[in-house]
Amino acid sequence: DAGVIQSPRHEVTEMGQEVTLRCKPISGHDYLFWYRQTMMRGLELLIYFNNNVPIDDSGMPEDRFSAKMPNASFSTLKIQPSEPRDSAVYFCASSFRGQGNTIYFGEGSWLTVV
Amino acid sequence: DAKTTQPPSMDCAEGRAANLPCNHSTISGNEYVYWYRQIHSQGPQYIIHGLKNNETNEMASLIITEDRKSSTLILPHATLRDTAVYYCIVRAASNSGYALNFGKGTSLLVTP
């Protein structure tokens, strides 16, 4: 299996620009998670989906962040407008309830907003 | 989910066993103990999980005390590639959600 696939791996953008991060979960998984990692705050859960439906978005920082999952094999995390404090590594992860709920992570998208 | 306490850092000599402790004194009966690790610049990697009994897989062993208030992850023969941050997480197996809440973890340094 290819694992969770994220793109882009690295992005540098200017403040105010729109950023779109993409994720392809492991085939057959019914849960998808978006996490953010910074030195100050560690790994934080932003939002997660079950069967393409958002279940808990309480970790989404503010209205500038939005996440969608139009189908079982694709999700996006969008930041508009981006700010320097959004600089972080964004991880996508997926799991299948029938596999003991083990969550598998992608390699992350490294975002720098200048 | 119950909170966990881990030492911030540990050292281990290559080839020796690495024993990483975790306290979870407020764990509930339906909560599992999960261990993940994160090697620098990579996504977190699942290691092992358990409920009551000790567990072993190809990566590690998990020892859970009888009262379930603490556990130890054992890497039997640590290598330099095991240098990473290790996270102990307790997580309910319920219908209310399956997300993992990460703490600060233990930074393990394996030395030659």
Side-chain angles (χ1 to χ4, degrees), chain A residues 9 31 33 35 37 40 43 45 48 55 91 95 97 99-108 110, chain B residues 34 36 38 40-46 49 87 91 93 95-104:
Chain A
R9 288 298 314 278
Y31 282 85
F33 308 83
Y35 283 83
Q37 186 171 34
M40 290 294 294
L43 269 163
L45 176 68
Y48 76 93
I55 302 300
F91 289 103
S95 70
R97 183 172 176 173
Q99 283 183 336
N101 306 320
T102 299
I103 297 179
Y104 297 89
F105 285 77
E107 290 304 303
W110 295 65
Chain B
Y34 281 78
Y36 278 72
Q38 187 174 23
H40 182 62
S41 301
Q42 297 183 17
Q45 177 189 24
Y46 167 79
H49 75 282
Y87 297 97
R91 176 188 183 210
N95 291 325
S96 63
Y98 293 87
L100 292 166
N101 294 314
F102 289 82
K104 296 186 183 301

Side-chain angles (χ1 to χ4, degrees), chain B residues 37-54:
Chain B
R37 73 180 182 183
Q38 187 174 23
I39 296 170
H40 182 62
S41 301
Q42 297 183 17
Q45 177 189 24
Y46 167 79
I47 301 173
I48 198 167
H49 75 282
L51 182 63
K52 295 181 184 178
N53 301 321
N54 299 336

Side-chain angles (χ1 to χ4, degrees), chain A residues 18-21 64-68 76-80:
Chain A
E18 178 179 291
V19 174
T20 300
L21 307 178
R64 297 185 297 106
F65 285 68
S66 63
K68 294 183 179 180
T76 60
L77 178 67
K78 189 172 293 187
I79 308 172
Q80 168 63 22

Side-chain angles (χ1 to χ4, degrees), chain B residues 10-27:
Chain B
M10 294 182 62
D11 293 344
C12 178
E14 187 178 21
R16 306 295 291 269
N19 298 291
L20 291 89
C22 179
N23 286 324
H24 31 79
S25 58
T26 60
I27 193 170

